[in-house]
Amino acid sequence: MNDSSRHHFIMKHMDYMYNIDNNITLNATLGEMNGTGIAQIMIPQELFLMLGLISLVENILVVVAIIKNRNLHSPMYYFICCLAVSDMLVSVSNVVETLFMLLMEHGLLLVTAKMLQHLDNVIDIMICSSVVSSLSFLCTIAADRYITIFYALRYHSIMTTQRAVAIIAVVWLTSITSSSVFIVYHTYNAVVACLVTFFGVTLVFTAVLYLHMFILAHVHSRRIMALHKSRRQGTSMKGAITLTILLGVFVICWGPFFLHLILILTCPTNPHCKCYFSHFNLFLILIICNSLID
């Protein structure tokens, strides 16, 4: 197993498309030319492992801090905790996969094709669940900030702990279920199209909420300062700004991957698209970096 054979449901999809249409196999030997005639970008396995471990430790610390600090036991921090757990899924899947690959490359682990397939499916579901849940919780956090700013007096009656727990449960259940469906039907273009559409819709939804928040905040900023409003609204705006930065980081880190999906749907045989496909391992590094930055 080599660097270009990193398991991911979209890699399966690409492998299916290329083998059917062009008789090209994506799982080329490390450093060799793939079926497109373009060399895959080589990333050391140790780098994947190091980034995955650092990200895992960071997100564990976030979860532990929220659990142990009673001052952070509120809906907003519950959502942030879930976002950290979503990032952990990427880190765990990356660490497990890289360890398996390193052990197999050095002949320290022998596994059957069936075991690899099961591991592949589990990792795919974890990664896909991370994508769906991360986007969902970014939207949820944006909505929570929106309610905090524009319905401050009613916030605690609108966003109760029970409702927050229910939202979290629905998001995780939906993420895991949809991810399982995506993996089962990974060879269908509709699966990739649904994921790309979900990515676009959630980003537009979040961007609209933040835009509304910032426009009204700018209009009323002087009035708020003159009337000496409570710090809660100022703190909420700071939280909104921070989460906007997180959203921007998410777009930068995940954007190349989703562009990768779009190109698979629109131009899988175009030479320029094939050149873009050869950078897939760099896109994986960006995804892991998103977990680190969060």
Side-chain angles (χ1 to χ4, degrees):
M1 189 177 296
N2 49 59
D3 195 42
S4 63
S5 65
R6 289 195 158 269
H7 293 93
H8 198 282
F9 79 100
I10 189 55
M11 292 300 282
K12 289 181 183 176
H13 182 83
M14 288 178 64
D15 191 48
Y16 171 83
M17 289 178 61
Y18 286 163
N19 277 292
I20 295 297
D21 298 334
N22 306 308
N23 196 27
I24 296 173
T25 302
L26 288 179
N27 296 328
T29 304
L30 180 62
E32 292 182 356
M33 293 290 182
N34 59 19
T36 65
I38 301 173
Q40 290 286 334
I41 300 298
M42 295 181 293
I43 304 294
Q45 303 289 4
E46 291 76 12
L47 179 59
F48 278 102
L49 182 60
M50 180 184 69
L51 291 176
L53 288 173
I54 295 174
S55 175
L56 181 60
V57 171
E58 283 186 347
N59 285 291
I60 289 175
L61 290 176
V62 172
V63 174
V64 171
I66 293 175
I67 292 175
K68 287 197 169 186
N69 192 337
R70 291 186 177 276
N71 293 327
L72 302 182
H73 289 185
S74 63
M76 182 187 75
Y77 288 103
Y78 293 155
F79 298 143
I80 292 176
C81 182
C82 289
L83 182 61
V85 173
S86 297
D87 291 333
M88 283 173 58
L89 289 178
V90 173
S91 303
V92 170
S93 62
N94 174 68
V95 169
V96 171
E97 183 181 31
T98 304
L99 283 175
F100 265 83
M101 293 169 70
L102 287 172
L103 291 174
M104 291 177 64
E105 284 179 359
H106 292 84
L108 299 176
L109 180 66
L110 297 176
V111 294
T112 64
K114 189 174 182 179
M115 290 175 60
L116 275 180
Q117 183 62 44
H118 287 314
L119 175 65
D120 185 31
N121 290 334
V122 171
I123 290 175
D124 287 345
I125 291 175
M126 290 175 65
I127 294 177
C128 193
S129 297
S130 175
V131 177
V132 177
S133 59
S134 292
L135 285 169
S136 299
F137 283 118
L138 283 172
C139 286
T140 304
I141 293 171
D144 178 77
R145 294 298 82 204
Y146 188 89
I147 296 171
T148 303
I149 293 172
F150 293 105
Y151 303 93
L153 298 179
R154 298 172 50 200
Y155 175 78
H156 291 292
S157 61
I158 295 174
M159 189 59 69
T160 63
T161 301
Q162 291 78 7
R163 285 179 180 171
V165 172
I167 291 171
I168 291 170
V170 169
V171 169
W172 280 117
L173 181 62
T174 304
S175 299
I176 296 173
T177 302
S178 60
S179 299
S180 300
V181 172
F182 286 164
I183 300 309
V184 172
Y185 298 101
H186 65 269
T187 56
Y188 291 86
N189 286 345
V191 170
V192 182
C194 287
L195 191 57
V196 172
T197 302
F198 178 71
F199 178 76
V201 170
T202 51
L203 288 186
V204 170
F205 172 79
T206 307
V208 167
L209 289 185
Y210 283 140
L211 183 61
H212 191 199
M213 282 188 277
F214 291 139
I215 289 176
L216 290 186
H218 178 72
V219 171
H220 295 289
S221 58
R222 292 182 180 179
R223 187 181 305 173
I224 291 173
M225 292 177 63
L227 296 176
H228 300 287
K229 292 282 187 179
S230 65
R231 288 187 60 196
R232 177 171 179 79
Q233 192 160 11
T235 302
S236 298
M237 279 308 304
K238 289 180 180 178
I241 293 172
T242 301
L243 292 169
T244 302
I245 295 173
L246 289 180
L247 179 65
V249 169
F250 187 92
V251 173
I252 293 172
C253 292
W254 281 94
F257 169 76
F258 278 94
L259 177 58
H260 185 101
L261 302 188
I262 294 172
L263 293 180
I264 287 175
L265 294 175
T266 57
C267 59
T269 60
N270 185 284
H272 298 291
C273 295
K274 291 177 181 178
C275 181
Y276 188 81
F277 296 155
S278 69
H279 294 76
F280 185 77
N281 288 320
L282 293 180
F283 307 155
L284 295 182
I285 290 292
L286 282 176
I287 290 172
I288 299 172
C289 287
N290 178 75
S291 300
L292 284 169
I293 297 171
D294 277 356

XYZ file of all heavy atoms in Angstrom, residues 22-91:
534
model
N -11.467 4.748 -18.785
C -10.124 4.928 -19.324
C -9.156 3.803 -18.977
O -7.979 3.866 -19.324
C -9.521 6.238 -18.809
C -10.428 7.413 -19.080
O -10.842 7.600 -20.208
N -10.748 8.181 -18.057
N -9.646 2.813 -18.221
C -8.804 1.700 -17.809
C -7.567 2.207 -17.069
O -6.439 1.755 -17.276
C -8.360 0.866 -19.020
C -7.816 -0.491 -18.600
O -8.203 -1.008 -17.553
N -6.937 -1.056 -19.398
N -7.815 3.171 -16.183
C -6.732 3.763 -15.405
C -6.905 3.373 -13.943
O -7.994 3.445 -13.413
C -6.755 5.303 -15.521
C -6.486 5.684 -16.973
C -5.738 5.949 -14.594
C -6.642 7.165 -17.227
N -5.845 2.990 -13.274
C -5.900 2.648 -11.868
C -5.230 3.746 -11.065
O -4.101 4.102 -11.328
C -5.189 1.312 -11.593
O -5.813 0.311 -12.386
C -5.255 0.941 -10.124
N -5.943 4.274 -10.064
C -5.383 5.356 -9.266
C -4.369 4.851 -8.246
O -3.533 5.606 -7.778
C -6.515 6.082 -8.518
C -7.409 6.932 -9.391
C -8.491 7.563 -8.537
C -6.609 7.994 -10.093
N -4.464 3.603 -7.872
C -3.563 3.081 -6.856
C -2.218 2.729 -7.461
O -1.791 1.575 -7.463
C -4.178 1.842 -6.177
C -5.428 2.210 -5.433
O -5.546 3.315 -4.924
N -6.373 1.292 -5.370
N -1.550 3.715 -7.995
C -0.251 3.505 -8.624
C 0.827 3.397 -7.562
O 0.642 3.824 -6.436
C 0.061 4.679 -9.548
N 1.960 2.823 -7.954
C 3.060 2.715 -7.020
C 3.596 4.089 -6.711
O 3.632 4.952 -7.561
C 4.187 1.855 -7.639
O 3.627 0.596 -7.994
C 5.344 1.677 -6.670
N 4.000 4.310 -5.454
C 4.487 5.609 -5.016
C 5.623 6.086 -5.903
O 6.609 5.421 -6.110
C 4.991 5.517 -3.565
C 5.527 6.807 -2.953
C 4.429 7.853 -2.903
C 6.103 6.542 -1.593
N 5.431 7.316 -6.423
C 6.468 7.913 -7.244
C 6.379 7.538 -8.706
O 7.074 8.103 -9.539
N 5.541 6.560 -9.047
C 5.406 6.174 -10.445
C 4.313 6.992 -11.105
O 3.456 7.577 -10.462
C 5.050 4.685 -10.548
C 6.194 3.774 -10.089
C 5.796 2.315 -10.265
O 4.643 2.068 -10.649
O 6.639 1.446 -10.020
N 4.334 6.990 -12.433
C 3.280 7.678 -13.158
C 2.002 6.868 -13.047
O 2.027 5.639 -13.158
C 3.657 7.804 -14.638
C 4.842 8.724 -14.884
S 4.395 10.426 -14.572
C 5.946 11.234 -14.991
N 0.875 7.579 -12.838
C -0.388 6.866 -12.849
C -0.885 6.760 -14.280
O -0.211 7.143 -15.220
C -1.422 7.587 -11.941
C -1.675 9.012 -12.369
O -1.382 9.385 -13.507
N -2.210 9.807 -11.459
N -2.113 6.248 -14.454
C -2.633 5.990 -15.778
C -2.829 7.246 -16.601
O -2.998 7.180 -17.802
N -2.830 8.427 -15.951
C -3.009 9.670 -16.681
C -1.698 10.162 -17.266
O -1.685 11.113 -18.033
C -3.563 10.756 -15.751
O -2.579 11.028 -14.751
C -4.848 10.325 -15.090
N -0.576 9.543 -16.895
C 0.721 10.012 -17.335
C 1.248 11.145 -16.477
O 2.268 11.751 -16.781
N 0.561 11.455 -15.369
C 0.955 12.543 -14.481
C 1.346 11.949 -13.134
O 0.607 11.149 -12.563
C -0.194 13.549 -14.294
C -0.609 14.122 -15.652
C 0.199 14.650 -13.325
C -1.843 14.984 -15.591
N 2.502 12.343 -12.627
C 2.983 11.790 -11.365
C 2.158 12.313 -10.196
O 1.862 13.500 -10.123
C 4.452 12.151 -11.161
N 1.778 11.400 -9.307
C 1.092 11.824 -8.096
C 2.073 12.540 -7.173
O 3.230 12.174 -7.082
C 0.522 10.583 -7.370
C -0.634 9.912 -8.076
C -1.913 10.705 -7.948
O -2.091 11.449 -6.997
N -2.798 10.566 -8.916
N 1.600 13.593 -6.486
C 2.428 14.298 -5.523
C 2.701 13.368 -4.344
O 1.777 12.799 -3.773
C 1.724 15.575 -5.035
C 1.441 16.501 -6.218
C 2.578 16.288 -3.990
C 2.683 16.987 -6.936
N 3.964 13.214 -3.990
C 4.332 12.290 -2.924
C 4.434 13.029 -1.585
O 5.131 14.037 -1.474
C 5.664 11.624 -3.248
C 5.635 10.730 -4.480
S 7.224 9.940 -4.787
C 8.240 11.359 -5.206
N 3.735 12.512 -0.590
C 3.770 13.061 0.764
C 4.255 11.948 1.701
O 3.696 10.858 1.698
C 2.386 13.539 1.227
C 1.812 14.567 0.237
C 2.473 14.132 2.629
C 2.571 15.862 0.166
N 5.289 12.199 2.517
C 5.769 11.162 3.444
C 4.672 10.716 4.400
O 3.925 11.540 4.931
C 6.910 11.861 4.196
C 7.333 12.977 3.306
C 6.089 13.430 2.587
N 4.594 9.409 4.612
C 3.590 8.887 5.538
C 3.790 9.444 6.942
O 2.826 9.669 7.685
C 3.685 7.346 5.582
C 3.530 6.650 4.246
C 2.115 6.704 3.721
O 1.252 7.326 4.324
N 1.878 6.067 2.598
N 5.060 9.688 7.303
C 5.359 10.193 8.635
C 4.728 11.568 8.871
O 4.340 11.900 9.991
C 6.873 10.263 8.845
C 7.567 8.911 8.924
C 7.733 8.247 7.562
O 7.508 8.931 6.524
O 8.087 7.054 7.526
N 4.627 12.381 7.798
C 4.008 13.702 7.924
C 2.525 13.576 8.229
O 1.986 14.291 9.087
C 4.217 14.508 6.640
C 3.594 15.909 6.616
C 4.152 16.766 7.747
C 3.829 16.581 5.261
N 1.860 12.652 7.527
C 0.443 12.392 7.810
C 0.260 11.970 9.261
O -0.642 12.435 9.957
C -0.093 11.303 6.881
C -0.481 11.789 5.515
C 0.350 11.580 4.430
C -1.679 12.456 5.314
C -0.006 12.019 3.162
C -2.048 12.904 4.049
C -1.202 12.688 2.969
N 1.140 11.074 9.726
C 1.033 10.558 11.088
C 1.264 11.661 12.111
O 0.512 11.781 13.092
C 2.044 9.424 11.288
C 2.022 8.732 12.655
C 0.665 8.108 12.906
C 3.125 7.680 12.727
N 2.277 12.486 11.899
C 2.597 13.558 12.845
C 1.454 14.566 12.943
O 1.020 14.930 14.044
C 3.884 14.267 12.416
C 4.295 15.402 13.356
S 5.753 16.297 12.778
C 5.066 17.115 11.311
N 0.948 15.025 11.788
C -0.147 15.987 11.794
C -1.406 15.396 12.427
O -2.123 16.075 13.166
C -0.450 16.449 10.367
C 0.608 17.320 9.691
C 0.210 17.606 8.245
C 0.801 18.623 10.445
N -1.663 14.130 12.129
C -2.834 13.466 12.698
C -2.760 13.372 14.214
O -3.747 13.619 14.918
N -1.575 13.044 14.743
C -1.408 12.927 16.196
C -1.538 14.280 16.889
O -2.192 14.393 17.931
C -0.046 12.301 16.512
C 0.089 10.803 16.205
C 1.533 10.351 16.403
C -0.854 9.983 17.081
N -0.920 15.316 16.308
C -1.017 16.658 16.893
C -2.463 17.131 16.909
O -2.961 17.656 17.919
C -0.133 17.658 16.120
C 1.345 17.289 16.261
C -0.362 19.081 16.633
C 2.266 18.141 15.404
N -3.151 16.947 15.794
C -4.550 17.357 15.706
C -5.410 16.591 16.708
O -6.296 17.167 17.351
C -5.066 17.123 14.285
O -6.443 17.404 14.197
N -5.137 15.301 16.850
C -5.904 14.473 17.781
C -5.738 14.970 19.210
O -6.717 15.131 19.951
C -5.452 13.015 17.663
C -6.164 12.006 18.557
C -7.657 11.978 18.260
C -5.559 10.619 18.377
N -4.491 15.248 19.607
C -4.226 15.728 20.963
C -4.893 17.084 21.204
O -5.510 17.315 22.253
C -2.703 15.823 21.212
C -2.424 16.521 22.543
C -2.067 14.444 21.193
N -4.786 17.977 20.223
C -5.393 19.305 20.359
C -6.899 19.216 20.580
O -7.449 19.859 21.487
C -5.120 20.140 19.108
C -3.721 20.708 19.031
C -3.558 21.638 17.847
O -4.441 21.652 16.967
O -2.546 22.346 17.808
N -7.551 18.430 19.767
C -9.015 18.349 19.866
C -9.464 17.615 21.124
O -10.522 17.932 21.683
C -9.578 17.677 18.614
C -9.562 18.593 17.402
O -10.297 19.561 17.343
N -8.696 18.308 16.447
N -8.668 16.665 21.585
C -8.976 16.006 22.863
C -8.916 17.025 23.999
O -9.770 17.033 24.897
C -8.006 14.836 23.122
C -8.317 13.676 22.170
C -8.107 14.364 24.574
C -7.342 12.520 22.279
N -7.915 17.904 23.957
C -7.790 18.943 24.981
C -9.001 19.874 24.974
O -9.482 20.288 26.037
C -6.505 19.744 24.759
C -5.189 19.013 25.046
C -3.999 19.896 24.683
C -5.110 18.594 26.505
N -9.498 20.210 23.779
C -10.687 21.069 23.681
C -11.890 20.391 24.331
O -12.613 21.002 25.127
C -11.003 21.399 22.207
C -12.349 22.113 22.091
C -9.906 22.267 21.610
N -12.096 19.133 24.003
C -13.233 18.391 24.550
C -13.127 18.278 26.067
O -14.104 18.503 26.796
C -13.322 16.993 23.907
C -14.413 16.160 24.589
C -13.608 17.104 22.408
N -11.930 17.937 26.557
C -11.725 17.797 27.998
C -11.955 19.126 28.710
O -12.574 19.174 29.779
C -10.296 17.273 28.291
C -9.996 17.330 29.790
C -10.143 15.844 27.786
N -11.460 20.227 28.119
C -11.633 21.550 28.736
C -13.105 21.913 28.871
O -13.540 22.431 29.915
C -10.905 22.604 27.903
N -13.883 21.629 27.836
C -15.319 21.958 27.877
C -16.049 21.075 28.875
O -16.944 21.535 29.605
C -15.931 21.830 26.471
C -15.356 22.909 25.551
C -17.458 21.942 26.530
C -15.810 22.808 24.109
N -15.663 19.815 28.946
C -16.322 18.896 29.878
C -16.024 19.272 31.327
O -16.913 19.262 32.186
C -15.880 17.443 29.600
C -16.428 16.972 28.248
C -16.359 16.512 30.721
C -15.954 15.595 27.841
N -14.776 19.640 31.621
C -14.362 19.889 32.998
C -14.742 21.277 33.499
O -14.937 21.470 34.700
C -12.847 19.705 33.134
C -12.411 18.243 33.087
C -11.005 18.082 33.636
C -10.677 16.617 33.852
N -9.373 16.428 34.522
N -14.833 22.261 32.618
C -15.136 23.627 33.034
C -16.636 23.861 33.018
O -17.261 23.944 31.963
C -14.433 24.618 32.098
C -14.467 26.038 32.636
O -15.327 26.397 33.439
N -13.528 26.857 32.186
N -17.233 24.010 34.190
C -18.683 24.196 34.267
C -19.137 25.503 33.622
O -20.290 25.627 33.203
C -19.127 24.157 35.735
C -18.990 22.771 36.367
C -19.579 22.748 37.769
N -19.510 21.420 38.338
C -20.397 20.458 38.126
N -21.435 20.701 37.341
N -20.267 19.276 38.689
N -18.249 26.488 33.573
C -18.607 27.754 32.937
C -18.826 27.601 31.432
O -19.397 28.482 30.790
C -17.510 28.793 33.184
C -17.402 29.180 34.638
O -18.403 29.214 35.364
N -16.179 29.461 35.101
N -18.346 26.503 30.888
C -18.485 26.253 29.453
C -19.633 25.291 29.144
O -19.776 24.855 28.010
C -17.171 25.687 28.886
C -15.927 26.556 29.083
C -14.711 25.893 28.440
C -16.134 27.955 28.501
N -20.430 24.983 30.145
C -21.553 24.076 29.933
C -22.768 24.872 29.447
O -23.719 25.141 30.190
C -21.879 23.325 31.225
C -20.843 22.315 31.595
N -20.971 21.444 32.660
C -19.648 22.029 31.023
C -19.904 20.671 32.735
N -19.078 21.013 31.762
N -22.717 25.253 28.177
C -23.812 25.991 27.544
C -23.937 25.493 26.109
O -23.001 24.881 25.571
C -23.523 27.498 27.572
O -22.365 27.796 26.819
N -25.092 25.746 25.471
C -25.306 25.226 24.114
C -24.194 25.576 23.130
O -23.765 24.719 22.354
C -26.638 25.872 23.715
C -27.373 26.017 25.012
C -26.311 26.366 26.018
N -23.708 26.825 23.159
C -22.689 27.209 22.191
C -21.447 26.345 22.327
O -20.880 25.866 21.342
C -22.297 28.679 22.367
C -21.266 29.149 21.341
S -20.623 30.801 21.642
C -19.521 30.482 23.025
N -21.016 26.120 23.570
C -19.810 25.318 23.775
C -20.060 23.838 23.526
O -19.136 23.102 23.183
C -19.259 25.558 25.181
C -18.631 26.926 25.322
C -19.305 27.958 25.974
C -17.388 27.195 24.770
C -18.743 29.212 26.094
C -16.817 28.446 24.878
C -17.494 29.450 25.542
O -16.926 30.700 25.638
N -21.294 23.396 23.700
C -21.624 22.014 23.314
C -21.418 21.835 21.816
O -20.877 20.825 21.356
C -23.072 21.687 23.685
C -23.353 21.642 25.169
C -24.630 21.872 25.666
C -22.338 21.369 26.082
C -24.902 21.839 27.033
C -22.597 21.337 27.450
C -23.884 21.579 27.913
O -24.143 21.543 29.263
N -21.858 22.842 21.042
C -21.691 22.768 19.584
C -20.209 22.823 19.199
O -19.765 22.110 18.296
C -22.452 23.917 18.912
C -23.941 23.895 19.139
C -24.658 25.077 19.309
C -24.627 22.691 19.189
C -26.028 25.055 19.516
C -26.000 22.656 19.397
C -26.694 23.846 19.565
N -19.450 23.686 19.886
C -18.014 23.769 19.614
C -17.333 22.453 19.970
O -16.421 21.993 19.271
C -17.389 24.938 20.399
C -17.914 26.261 19.842
C -15.864 24.898 20.328
C -17.438 27.483 20.606
N -17.769 21.835 21.050
C -17.229 20.527 21.450
C -17.491 19.492 20.358
O -16.611 18.684 20.028
C -17.861 20.094 22.767
S -17.247 18.521 23.411
N -18.687 19.531 19.798
C -19.027 18.591 18.726
C -18.201 18.860 17.475
O -17.831 17.930 16.747
C -20.518 18.677 18.406
S -21.576 17.988 19.687
N -17.907 20.139 17.215
C -17.047 20.475 16.084
C -15.659 19.887 16.291
O -15.042 19.377 15.349
C -16.964 21.993 15.920
C -16.130 22.514 14.748
C -16.705 22.021 13.421
C -16.072 24.036 14.770
N -15.169 19.941 17.538
C -13.870 19.339 17.854
C -13.911 17.825 17.658
O -12.948 17.223 17.159
C -13.472 19.681 19.292
N -15.022 17.200 18.045
C -15.161 15.751 17.854
C -15.166 15.414 16.362
O -14.586 14.416 15.933
C -16.452 15.228 18.534
C -16.680 13.754 18.195
C -16.355 15.409 20.041
N -15.811 16.267 15.569
C -15.816 16.064 14.114
C -14.389 16.101 13.568
O -14.005 15.279 12.725
C -16.664 17.142 13.424
O -18.008 17.057 13.832
N -13.608 17.061 14.041
C -12.210 17.141 13.626
C -11.422 15.912 14.091
O -10.517 15.445 13.408
C -11.557 18.413 14.181
C -12.099 19.674 13.528
O -12.555 19.581 12.371
O -12.068 20.735 14.160
N -11.792 15.401 15.266
C -11.112 14.216 15.790
C -11.326 13.006 14.884
O -10.445 12.144 14.767
C -11.600 13.894 17.207
C -11.014 14.798 18.276
S -11.774 14.518 19.903
C -11.415 12.773 20.137
N -12.487 12.934 14.256
C -12.755 11.811 13.356
C -11.744 11.777 12.210
O -11.254 10.711 11.829
C -14.179 11.919 12.788
C -15.326 11.646 13.757
C -16.667 11.829 13.055
C -15.231 10.235 14.325
N -11.423 12.968 11.668
C -10.416 13.038 10.611
C -9.062 12.598 11.154
O -8.338 11.825 10.525
C -10.323 14.468 10.047
C -9.164 14.579 9.064
C -11.617 14.842 9.345
N -8.720 13.093 12.355
C -7.421 12.778 12.949
C -7.289 11.281 13.241
O -6.264 10.668 12.927
C -7.229 13.582 14.242
O -7.343 14.959 14.006
